[in-house]
Amino acid sequence: MSATPATRPEQGEAARVRTYDAVVVGAGFSGLYMLFWLRDKLGLRARVFEKGKDVGGTWYWNRYPGARCDSESVYYCFSDHLSEEILQEWNWSERYATQPEIQRYLRWVAEKMDLLRDIELNRTVLAAHYDEQRAVWRITLDGDEQVEARFFITAVGCLHAINMPKFPGLARFRGRWYHTADWPEEGVSFAGRRVAVIGTGATAVQVIPEVAKEAQHVYVFQRTPNHCIPGQNRKISPEEMAEIKKNYKQIWQKMRANRAGFPYNPSNRSALETPPEERWRIYEEAWQRGGLGFGQETFSDLLISEEANRTAQEFFATKIRQIVRDPHVADLLTPKYPFGTKRPPLEHGYYETFNRPNVTLVDVRSTPIEEITEAGIRTSDREYEVDDIIFATGFDAMTGALFAIDIRGRGGVSLRERWADGPQTYLGLASHGFPNMFMITGPQSPSVLTNMVVAIEQHVEWIADCIRYLRENGFDAIEATPEAEQQWVAHHAEVANLTLIPKTDSWWVGANIPGKRRLLYPYVGGLDAYRAICDKVARAGYQGFSLSRLEGSRSSAAG
Ligand code: N01
């Protein structure tokens, strides 16, 4: 077993174009799992290129104080499809693992599965251009090195490209500033300092209580409050861990059959048809249980009926008023949009933090940030002098990391241009004009609306099966047909519009990025239904794709 990552070739060697069967971009959960399937299950020559100094993906970059997973750790790890031994050997210490624990897990998996020897760290993929004549992707890396591969697979993560709002004046700020998704490896001390946190999304909700514990003062610049669900975090005892391990088979079966990839028990009750007292009790129980199951396990109509949703909003408003002592602050912290139409953060003492004398909430909806000054932040109202600014301002989600690579398909058409009006995908896995390219948890797949690891395993296994099919049947290329793609885009939009989600501004609809096309990016039809669709497509000989050999082509069974 080797624990050493692959190294980049010597200069002379680099002049030779290295060729692989498949190149994968990114070494987070998806890149590691894809490599395992390509190399160990399919016997292909595969190479992973990772920009970070270590494996881990999102768990490598997001090292900010308080970073921990919002999915329960025992459900947020690889299944026995990777290795029963790994599943049985690893012990999670808390209900929600911290970033260092998950990073350790991923490094350990990479070492144990001997994946590192096919992963090059500190390598940025700059471009990927498809050569139609030879059905290969030519991939350009930093240092102008080129490699070639028949298959180009993006495992870049949905939340990678940083959103840095363009406030004027940042260059003249005399203090320190950080973005949560690119946090210094050595950590940052805020002891005795005045700190501004911009943003109140899932990241900020984790950062703020931690920073408030040591800073002299924290100013929280909030544009939109969120419905924060208590995490109810706790340690996992060895006995509990052993019990979970015994039941992992059933747990995974349940997760795969669940619309969000969790072993939750979806409710089929209507909030409106439930008497108020009973309804309150159900909400209260879900609040006490904590976790992202709140929506699924309470009522079935919260995302389709505004009236039903209002009952959840009232519940959150009451909870916030009960916890936060200052009624004005409580009101500012209370969301005015339907619950669940933005990703609800999990909180660990977030609301209580606003009772601390060293925390001030600044409402930048009514008094917007106008500029960063030498000494701090000026809103339309006044200047806040601070020593440090933390940007917890999120990501150009779903498409940002794909567009960061100059991806060009047939005829040199760029992905960015092809998707100028929004993603054009078939199943969120492939796009017409980009043969032999697959996206793991790409836009228009369930991805961020689910337990990511379950969605990742489904995508990786589907892609691996597809590549195996192509090889066994002598095909050199696969490409989504324009008709299948149009149908998927239309179906995706139709399902999205059955819910309240597209009505609320959020990163799910791209509303956080000025100029980004506003539409729902993840697929809302459920991971269970989506899996069935993908399986049906495969069983029908990759329906909706055209498969070709270099000397000729045929359309797939049902075109
Ligand atoms: O980013 P966000 P995030 N002026 O976009 C504000 C996942 N995650 O990093 O809401 C002022 O949600 C913005 O305001 P608004 C999870 O899926 C997972 O927090 O646009 N404010 C918002 O408050 C999550 O949803 C874990 O009005 C500005 C904040 O910045 C996703 O990552 C942990 C602004 C950005 O919130 C993203 O979360 C953490 C401006 N110009 C996160 N621009 C897990 O544990 C932006 N904002 C798995």
Side-chain angles (χ1 to χ4, degrees):
M1 186 193 298
S2 151
T4 321
T7 49
R8 63 174 74 204
E10 299 298 320
Q11 271 200 330
E13 261 183 276
R16 226 173 354 101
V17 175
R18 292 187 277 156
T19 60
Y20 297 99
D21 295 314
V23 156
V24 179
V25 191
F29 269 100
S30 41
L32 295 176
Y33 195 52
M34 193 75 245
L35 175 59
F36 162 72
W37 269 86
L38 292 168
R39 190 192 71 182
D40 297 356
K41 302 279 254 192
L42 265 58
L44 301 186
R45 287 170 305 125
R47 197 71 158 181
V48 176
F49 296 104
E50 163 58 55
K51 193 161 70 172
K53 280 196 220 150
D54 203 349
V55 300
T58 200
W59 298 104
Y60 168 79
W61 298 103
N62 289 272
R63 296 175 290 250
Y64 57 83
R68 66 170 73 239
C69 191
D70 282 353
S71 303
E72 281 94 341
S73 38
V74 296
Y75 312 140
Y76 189 83
C77 52
F78 290 117
S79 75
D80 63 339
H81 289 195
L82 177 81
S83 154
E84 177 66 22
E85 190 187 325
I86 285 202
L87 195 59
Q88 292 300 326
E89 212 174 312
W90 184 266
N91 294 311
W92 293 104
S93 66
E94 290 178 84
R95 181 172 177 190
Y96 307 97
T98 59
Q99 175 272 332
E101 188 169 2
I102 303 174
Q103 170 73 24
R104 263 200 316 280
Y105 166 77
L106 289 170
R107 176 79 194 185
W108 175 77
V109 167
E111 287 178 4
K112 220 171 145 69
M113 301 300 291
D114 196 14
L115 297 174
L116 290 171
R117 69 183 154 87
D118 290 302
I119 300 173
E120 287 180 36
L121 301 172
N122 293 307
R123 300 278 355 230
T124 305
V125 172
L126 301 171
H129 295 178
Y130 187 65
D131 177 342
E132 202 172 337
Q133 300 308 317
R134 297 187 300 131
V136 293
W137 282 91
R138 182 168 269 240
I139 293 136
T140 308
L141 301 159
D142 55 292
D144 208 25
E145 195 202 343
Q146 312 241 314
V147 299
E148 284 188 348
R150 170 122 309 160
F151 299 102
F152 175 62
I153 302 171
T154 61
V156 291
C158 299
L159 295 158
H160 178 68
I162 282 174
N163 173 35
M164 197 58 197
K166 293 188 175 44
F167 299 121
L170 183 59
R172 66 170 179 255
F173 178 56
R174 281 196 308 254
R176 309 177 299 180
W177 65 268
Y178 310 94
H179 191 288
T180 46
D182 190 13
W183 200 259
E185 267 178 86
E186 63 281 9
V188 181
S189 167
F190 293 103
R193 297 177 72 88
R194 298 162 304 168
V195 183
V197 179
I198 303 178
T200 50
T203 299
V205 166
Q206 293 184 336
V207 167
I208 290 162
E210 289 307 307
V211 174
K213 283 179 198 161
E214 63 166 350
Q216 183 199 104
H217 203 94
V218 178
Y219 297 93
V220 176
F221 292 80
Q222 171 189 273
R223 192 164 65 181
T224 316
N226 288 302
H227 299 98
C228 303
I229 304 169
Q232 313 286 17
N233 191 29
R234 56 181 167 72
K235 296 273 178 231
I236 298 177
S237 69
E239 296 73 35
E240 191 184 350
M241 196 68 226
E243 192 58 27
I244 287 163
K245 285 178 180 177
K246 263 199 274 168
N247 295 319
Y248 254 137
K249 273 235 155 357
Q250 294 89 304
I251 291 174
W252 266 93
Q253 260 170 19
K254 201 169 171 187
M255 294 203 290
R256 291 193 183 106
N258 181 274
R259 68 167 186 259
F262 287 103
Y264 298 148
N265 300 311
S267 160
N268 53 14
R269 284 176 298 238
S270 151
L272 289 178
E273 287 165 17
T274 305
E277 273 182 29
E278 170 71 355
R279 195 165 58 209
W280 201 264
R281 185 189 61 73
I282 290 166
Y283 282 135
E284 181 63 34
E285 277 175 14
W287 180 271
Q288 294 308 331
R289 269 197 309 280
L292 292 176
F294 190 98
Q296 233 194 81
E297 293 193 319
T298 50
F299 299 102
S300 58
D301 47 357
L302 297 183
L303 284 180
I304 47 175
S305 155
E306 290 189 23
E307 208 184 335
N309 196 293
R310 264 194 293 279
T311 65
Q313 294 173 56
E314 280 161 23
F315 178 80
F316 276 89
T318 305
K319 283 293 178 191
I320 295 166
R321 275 198 305 274
Q322 283 169 355
I323 302 170
V324 179
R325 285 198 289 269
D326 180 331
H328 177 61
V329 175
D331 184 52
L332 286 178
L333 287 169
T334 302
K336 312 291 186 281
Y337 64 85
F339 165 76
T341 56
K342 282 181 89 163
R343 158 75 145 73
L346 277 207
E347 60 92 21
H348 307 278
Y350 178 68
Y351 290 124
E352 284 84 352
T353 299
F354 291 91
N355 291 333
R356 296 178 67 109
N358 70 333
V359 176
T360 302
L361 184 63
V362 181
D363 174 22
V364 298
R365 178 72 65 186
S366 59
T367 56
I369 296 174
E370 291 191 335
E371 60 172 345
I372 312 278
T373 62
E374 283 184 13
I377 295 178
R378 187 190 305 283
T379 65
S380 60
D381 187 35
R382 56 164 273 203
E383 184 178 16
Y384 294 85
E385 290 195 2
V386 293
D387 303 305
D388 302 315
I389 302 175
I390 298 176
F391 290 87
T393 45
F395 304 89
D396 179 358
M398 312 289 298
T399 50
L402 291 169
F403 292 161
I405 305 169
D406 176 27
I407 299 173
R408 287 171 193 272
R410 274 191 303 104
V413 172
S414 93
L415 189 75
R416 182 187 273 276
E417 282 160 25
R418 174 92 220 296
W419 289 10
D421 248 356
Q424 306 293 314
T425 83
Y426 181 35
L427 303 170
L429 272 162
S431 187
H432 175 66
F434 299 83
N436 291 355
M437 169 177 157
F438 296 104
M439 297 168 288
I440 304 174
T441 63
Q444 296 171 345
S445 77
S447 61
V448 293
L449 298 181
T450 72
N451 177 356
M452 284 302 289
V453 188
V454 184
I456 286 168
E457 287 204 356
Q458 185 263 336
H459 258 191
V460 166
E461 291 167 19
W462 190 95
I463 294 167
D465 281 346
C466 175
I467 292 176
R468 189 193 339 244
Y469 179 90
L470 297 174
R471 291 173 71 88
E472 284 175 359
N473 291 282
F475 291 110
D476 300 299
I478 181 166
E479 179 179 354
T481 66
E483 299 77 24
E485 184 171 281
Q486 277 159 22
Q487 277 170 21
W488 183 253
V489 173
H491 165 70
H492 171 87
E494 192 185 333
V495 186
N497 290 327
L498 294 175
T499 74
L500 304 175
I501 295 175
K503 295 183 182 163
T504 299
D505 280 348
S506 75
W507 64 260
W508 282 348
V509 297
N512 61 330
I513 304 294
K516 187 165 176 170
R517 181 71 202 269
R518 194 185 192 289
L519 44 83
L520 184 61
Y521 285 75
Y523 176 65
V524 81
L527 186 57
D528 48 347
Y530 174 80
R531 178 190 301 276
I533 296 169
C534 291
D535 288 350
K536 190 163 159 246
V537 164
R539 271 197 312 275
Y542 295 92
Q543 183 178 27
F545 287 95
S546 68
L547 315 183
S548 57
R549 300 186 173 87
L550 278 173
E551 68 277 19
S553 72
R554 73 136 170 109
S555 279
S556 64

